[in-house]
């Protein structure tokens, strides 16, 4: 009986201990789950607040940066006088020029000219436009500011017609560097005169040029130079139907007038005409017509109308074809390969 009571007491004690441990585990688990839930629900709120604060700081920084840029522009434009060149009483301004040809080399032999579409880039230094900034950085501004600063008075000597593209906006770009360097870029379409030698047309080789010069500033005020690297670039996508890929050569020289010496730049383009078109459309048909005219030698001499008709038809055909070719050429006395 004593043993049974002892065993009952031990069994009862074990049940109580097991229930107690189970209760503690349940309470702790619920507490841990609550803690995780609380952490999960509170964390996004703190993250959202951090993002909002960061955006506010970025907006404030942008506003401050914009204000500084506006102040910088006002300062440098206040120092610049577009009426006077940089270093007015010092050495001449050096204007480095580069051009990139994106379309053109379509020639009109009758009017002796050719067309180009180019990017003209000019770079010079104006100490009055210097400002504090990171070396190598630049300030891209509206090209309308070009009317408020000094710019080179470059023009094209052999230009017949031209325009500055303005679709959809004026195709100009203006950059100002901390050291006072200014970069001006523009896109132009030009029709330029080219004195052609057509005595060997259509097996001719033409040497055309593009010449730029200062209009009013003499060499003591402004010097024009080609850039050291790639002064004339030709876009790889250009396909010239009438000529082979042109060879390019650049020179720098001074033009002498009664009003003084002026700095000038010139780019030569050596154009070798592709005459395959004329061989197929002119030479071979003409030879064929001449061979046909020989058939009259095998016609019965008594069939005079047939022989006369064949000869006259051949002459008229060759004459009409020659007239069509000459309509595309200037009226000069020089003999050509096609008459």
């Amino acid at each position: 009986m004593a043993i049974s009571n002892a065993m009952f007491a031990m069994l009862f004690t074990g049940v109580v201990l097991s229930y107690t441990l189970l209760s503690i585990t349940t309470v702790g688990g619920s507490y841990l789950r609550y803690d995780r839930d609380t952490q999960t629900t509170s964390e996004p709120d703190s993250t959202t607040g951090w993002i909002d604060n960061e955006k506010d700081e970025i907006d404030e920084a942008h506003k401050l940066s914009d204000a500084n840029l506006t102040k910088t522009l006002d300062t440098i434009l206040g120092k610049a006088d577009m009426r006077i060149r940089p270093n007015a009483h010092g050495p001449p301004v050096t204007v480095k020029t580069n051009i990139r040809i994106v379309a053109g080399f379509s020639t009109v032999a009758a009017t002796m000219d050719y067309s180009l579409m180019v990017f003209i880039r000019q770079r010079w230094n104006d100490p009055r436009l210097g400002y504090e900034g990171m070396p190598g950085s630049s300030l891209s501004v509206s090209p309308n500011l070009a009317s408020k600063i000094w710019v080179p008075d470059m023009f094209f000597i052999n230009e017949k017609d031209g325009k500055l593209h303005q679709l959809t906006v004026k195709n100009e770009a203006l950059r100002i560097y901390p050291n006072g360097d200014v970069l001006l870029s523009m896109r132009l379409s030009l029709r330029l005169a080219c004195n052609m030698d057509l005595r060997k047309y259509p097996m001719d080789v033409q040497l055309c040029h593009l010449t730029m010069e200062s209009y009013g500033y003499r060499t003591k005020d402004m010097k024009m130079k080609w850039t050291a690297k790639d002064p004339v670039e030709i876009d790889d996508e250009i396909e010239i139907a009438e000529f082979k890929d042109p060879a390019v050569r650049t020179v720098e020289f001074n033009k002498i007038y009664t009003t003084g010496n002026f700095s000038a730049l010139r780019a030569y383009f050596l154009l070798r005409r592709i005459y395959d078109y004329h061989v197929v459309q002119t030479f071979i048909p003409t030879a064929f017509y001449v061979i046909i005219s020989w058939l009259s030698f095998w016609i019965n001499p008594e069939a005079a109308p047939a022989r006369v008709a064949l000869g006259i038809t051949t002459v008229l055909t060759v004459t009409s074809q020659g007239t069509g070719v000459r309509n595309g050429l200037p009226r000069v006395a020089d003999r050509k390969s096609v008459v």
Side-chain angles (χ1 to χ4, degrees):
M1 187 68 178
I3 296 175
S4 298
N5 291 336
M7 291 180 63
F8 178 79
M10 292 177 61
L11 179 61
F12 178 80
T13 303
V15 171
V16 172
L17 288 174
S18 298
Y19 180 81
T20 303
L21 290 174
L22 181 61
S23 299
I24 294 173
T25 303
T26 304
V27 174
S30 62
Y31 175 79
L32 291 175
R33 285 195 298 272
Y34 175 78
D35 182 68
R36 285 196 297 269
D37 295 341
T38 305
Q39 186 177 1
T40 302
T41 55
S42 62
E43 185 175 356
D45 293 336
S46 62
T47 304
T48 303
W50 177 83
I51 293 175
D52 292 339
N53 293 336
E54 186 69 15
K55 289 176 62 178
D56 293 340
E57 292 178 2
I58 292 175
D59 292 340
E60 290 296 328
H62 285 172
K63 292 179 181 178
L64 182 60
S65 177
D66 293 342
N68 291 337
L69 291 178
T70 301
K71 184 177 180 180
T72 299
L73 280 177
D74 292 339
T75 302
I76 61 180
L77 291 177
K79 296 185 297 181
D81 189 345
M82 61 171 292
R83 300 171 297 176
I84 305 174
R85 72 168 179 89
N87 302 319
H89 300 290
V93 182
T94 300
V95 180
K96 296 182 179 181
T97 305
N98 158 269
I99 66 175
R100 182 176 181 86
I101 302 172
V102 295
F105 293 111
S106 56
T107 63
V108 181
T111 55
M112 288 196 176
D113 55 41
Y114 70 106
S115 301
L116 292 177
M117 183 188 294
V118 299
F119 288 101
I120 302 288
R121 301 157 184 154
Q122 295 179 297
R123 184 164 181 161
W124 67 94
N125 182 266
D126 190 342
R128 299 170 296 183
L129 302 180
Y131 61 93
E132 294 183 1
M134 294 293 293
S137 63
S138 63
L139 185 61
S140 297
V141 297
S142 170
N144 295 329
L145 291 180
S147 61
K148 298 183 179 181
I149 63 175
W150 182 90
V151 295
D153 61 342
M154 181 269 295
F155 78 106
F156 301 94
I157 292 180
N158 58 327
E159 174 205 354
K160 286 187 174 182
D161 191 16
K163 68 173 183 178
L164 171 67
H165 290 265
Q166 301 193 37
L167 188 69
T168 55
V169 295
K170 185 184 294 186
N171 292 182
E172 284 185 318
L174 181 64
R175 296 178 187 173
I176 302 176
Y177 294 81
N179 63 347
D181 280 359
V182 182
L183 175 65
L184 178 63
S185 175
M186 61 190 77
R187 186 167 74 103
L188 307 174
S189 284
L190 304 169
R191 186 162 63 90
L192 305 166
C194 178
N195 296 324
M196 301 181 184
D197 183 1
L198 300 172
R199 287 175 293 182
K200 295 183 179 180
Y201 181 90
M203 279 78 76
D204 56 327
V205 178
Q206 303 299 336
L207 185 64
C208 298
H209 68 90
L210 181 153
T211 304
M212 297 173 286
E213 182 183 320
S214 171
Y215 192 86
Y217 290 101
R218 293 170 290 180
T219 52
K220 69 175 185 178
D221 295 318
M222 188 178 84
K223 288 185 178 181
M224 298 182 65
K225 292 184 176 295
W226 291 110
T227 56
K229 182 180 179 181
D230 297 330
V232 177
E233 302 173 277
I234 300 180
D235 198 287
D236 295 335
E237 297 182 359
I238 290 183
E239 294 185 3
I240 307 174
E242 197 173 357
F243 297 95
K244 298 180 181 179
D245 292 340
V248 182
R249 184 169 67 91
T250 58
V251 294
E252 303 171 359
F253 62 100
N254 294 331
K255 292 278 286 185
I256 301 176
Y257 300 98
T258 56
T259 53
N261 297 347
F262 296 84
S263 181
L265 302 175
R266 177 170 291 175
Y268 287 102
F269 305 106
L270 188 66
L271 304 175
R272 299 181 182 274
R273 195 182 304 274
I274 301 174
Y275 53 82
D276 297 13
Y277 169 82
H278 297 278
V279 170
V280 174
Q281 299 294 329
T282 304
F283 291 104
I284 292 179
T286 302
F288 183 69
Y289 299 146
V290 173
I291 292 173
I292 290 179
S293 69
W294 293 345
L295 295 177
S296 61
F297 296 117
W298 282 271
I299 298 177
N300 189 344
E302 297 180 358
R307 298 180 66 181
V308 171
L310 183 59
I312 291 177
T313 301
T314 302
V315 172
L316 292 177
T317 302
V318 173
T319 302
S320 299
Q321 188 174 29
T323 302
V325 173
R326 287 193 297 271
N327 285 339
L329 300 175
R331 294 183 174 90
V332 295
D334 297 334
R335 291 182 177 273
K336 310 175 190 66
S337 297
V338 289
V339 178

